[in-house]
């Protein structure tokens, strides 16, 4: 469904947008394509990208406009006309050390400003090896459930940390199991309707060649794509997600 994290230059962003604009993919009635450039590149991408593709911010602050030097608020993102923000990416959680609670507060604030949120969760390698995948996902989901009751503008992105940027993609079976457990958690803790309606997308070394099998899994509703989103094969990933 989405794509992201591109520390590009003005020139490379322009070339990437031109490439995206040339894609022959189904429209938004079939698949949402959301691109997430750096804050610096957002205005240029919004101006040049074909309008059926949406633009997301990669992060937003936990509060509204105020004295928070260096932070970008959900208010500002909404003011720019954007509809989407990514929150809780593993790089925010594990490199910047943003806690489950801070992440949940950021999501709640972004929702209060009308944004839709791609809410990332997922376990580290040692947690998977200790059979804690669902425990970690449930903990990160519960932190959000403690802060919000309306999940209609949430897309859950399951991104096992060990699969991000490593070339080690989760197998369709591994991903499906995690997604099914996330959906079961939503059914139990939030409600059946939310569980059915919430899109759960997979991220972590998605490529054109593995996207078809992953998309075939019952509970995989799209992708959060990093590296491969910068290559022409992204067109095929979008087509695979449009199942
Ligand atoms: O947000 C995207 C993920 O971090 C996945 O990145 P990747 O596709 O390069 O593994």
């Amino acid at each position: 469904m989405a794509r992201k994290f591109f520390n590009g230059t003005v020139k490379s962003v322009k070339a990437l947008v031109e490439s995206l604009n040339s894609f022959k993919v189904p429209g938004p009635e079939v698949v949402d394509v959301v691109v997430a450039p750096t804050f610096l590149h957002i205005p240029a991408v919004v101006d040049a990208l074909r309008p059926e593709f949406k633009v997301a911010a990669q992060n937003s602050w936990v509060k509204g406009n105020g004295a928070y030097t260096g932070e970008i608020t959900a208010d500002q993102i909404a003011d720019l006309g954007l509809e989407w923000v990514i929150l809780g990416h593993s790089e925010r959680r594990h490199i910047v050390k943003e806690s489950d609670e801070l992440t949940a507060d950021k999501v709640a604030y972004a929702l209060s400003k009308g944004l839709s949120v791609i809410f990332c969760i997922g376990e580290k390698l040692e947690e998977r090896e200790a059979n804690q995948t669902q425990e970690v996902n449930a903990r990160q989901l519960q932190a959000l459930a403690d802060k919000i009751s309306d999940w209609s503008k949430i897309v859950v992105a399951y991104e096992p940390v060990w699969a991000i940027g490593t070339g080690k993609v989760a197998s369709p079976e591994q991903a499906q199991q995690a997604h099914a457990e996330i959906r079961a958690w939503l059914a139990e803790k939030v409600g059946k309707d939310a569980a059915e309606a919430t899109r759960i997308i997979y991220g972590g070394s998605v490529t054109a060649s593995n996207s078809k099998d992953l998309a075939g899994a019952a509970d995989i509703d799209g992708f959060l794509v990093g590296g491969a989103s910068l290559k022409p094969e992204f067109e095929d990933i979008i087509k695979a997600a449009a199942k």
Side-chain angles (χ1 to χ4, degrees), residues 4-5 89 91 159 163-166 203-206 224-228:
K4 67 133 230 184
F5 309 116
H89 190 275
E91 288 143 17
E159 294 208 302
I164 297 175
T166 59
S205 296
V206 174
L224 181 47
V225 188

Side-chain angles (χ1 to χ4, degrees), residues 1 33 49 60 64 66 68 72 76 92 96 107 125 130 139 144 149 155 157 165 174 184 188 191 200 205 213 230-231:
M1 173 211 170
V33 179
L49 192 65
S60 61
Y68 306 111
I72 304 282
Q76 293 171 305
R92 304 299 310 181
V96 190
V107 175
L125 181 60
R139 191 195 74 224
L144 185 56
S149 52
V155 169
Q174 285 173 319
E188 188 193 332
I200 306 171
S205 296
D213 284 347
L230 308 177
K231 302 177 187 165

Side-chain angles (χ1 to χ4, degrees), residues 218-235:
D219 288 292
I220 296 180
D221 303 319
F223 302 115
L224 181 47
V225 188
S229 70
L230 308 177
K231 302 177 187 165
E233 68 181 281
F234 186 52
E235 183 171 356

Side-chain angles (χ1 to χ4, degrees), residues 164-187:
I164 297 175
T166 59
K168 289 182 195 151
V169 65
S171 68
E173 295 73 26
Q174 285 173 319
Q176 167 57 25
Q177 183 181 346
H179 283 227
E181 287 169 349
I182 292 164
R183 206 175 297 286
W185 185 96
L186 286 168

